[in-house]
Amino acid sequence: MKLLTKIDALPTDKKIAGVHCVPFTENGNILMSWDRDEQLLTTIGGRLEGNESIDQALEREAMEEVGIILEEEKIPFALWYWDSTDSYIIWFLAKVKKMEPYSIDFEKTGYVSFNFETALQLIEKIEPNNPKRINLIKLAEESAKKHNWL
């Protein structure tokens, strides 16, 4: 069973196995990465490795996937429960501190920057039968408004 759920705080009842973020640029746009293999827009993140903390994993994934350094403040807004592993993936809002040069050969083909409305329109065009990513971006926008990031 997989279930996307809105949250305001980190859960403590199960292991957190993965972390993703919706990064905000200084002009209020969000970043997503383009997955060249799956041909879709994804949030930035992945699995925790070894004894990494949540922050360490988010920082590593942000640099590996799109070459960004995140601000310290990160706001959890959604989780995805994986029944098969009895663990969570957590999504955070995060502000971009700095954009660094990076190689797009490692994982993805780069990032795109747009507002929430455009993100939702593009995701709907690319994945018309997958409401998960649309719901995720809507939860991110709702949380950003709640925390006065928009």
Side-chain angles (χ1 to χ4, degrees):
M1 176 177 141
K2 301 173 191 171
L3 185 61
L4 183 66
T5 306
K6 177 183 171 180
I7 60 172
D8 292 317
L10 291 177
T12 58
D13 62 325
K14 309 237 181 267
K15 177 182 175 183
I16 295 173
V19 292
H20 283 252
C21 66
V22 175
F24 276 75
T25 62
E26 64 183 25
N27 67 358
N29 282 345
I30 61 171
L31 300 179
M32 294 183 78
S33 61
W34 177 251
D35 186 308
R36 66 175 162 226
D37 297 327
E38 295 184 45
Q39 298 287 294
L40 50 82
L41 292 165
T42 66
T43 55
I44 296 156
R47 302 201 59 69
L48 275 73
E49 295 180 0
N51 292 325
E52 275 184 323
S53 70
I54 289 170
D55 282 339
Q56 289 169 331
L58 271 174
E59 290 293 336
R60 177 183 51 76
E61 290 289 349
M63 181 53 71
E64 286 178 357
E65 290 188 9
V66 294
I68 59 173
I69 297 171
L70 301 172
E71 293 283 354
E72 195 170 313
E73 180 184 20
K74 296 167 187 77
I75 300 170
F77 71 87
L79 65 76
W80 185 260
Y81 173 68
W82 288 91
D83 190 41
S84 63
T85 60
D86 194 33
S87 65
Y88 294 125
I89 296 173
I90 307 294
W91 276 267
F92 295 84
L93 297 177
K95 291 183 180 176
V96 175
K97 183 176 186 176
K98 188 175 182 185
M99 300 177 99
E100 295 282 340
Y102 76 108
S103 169
I104 61 172
D105 297 332
F106 187 66
E107 288 191 21
K108 311 288 181 188
T109 57
Y111 62 83
V112 291
S113 172
F114 34 49
N115 61 30
F116 279 107
E117 181 181 351
T118 303
L120 290 167
Q121 289 172 352
L122 288 173
I123 292 166
E124 180 64 35
K125 288 277 188 193
I126 295 167
E127 296 183 87
N129 299 316
N130 184 357
K132 175 193 165 198
R133 206 164 331 268
I134 289 170
N135 291 337
L136 183 64
I137 296 303
K138 286 180 179 179
L139 287 175
E141 182 178 27
E142 180 182 316
S143 185
K145 287 177 180 175
K146 176 182 174 183
H147 291 91
N148 296 315
W149 283 24
L150 289 178

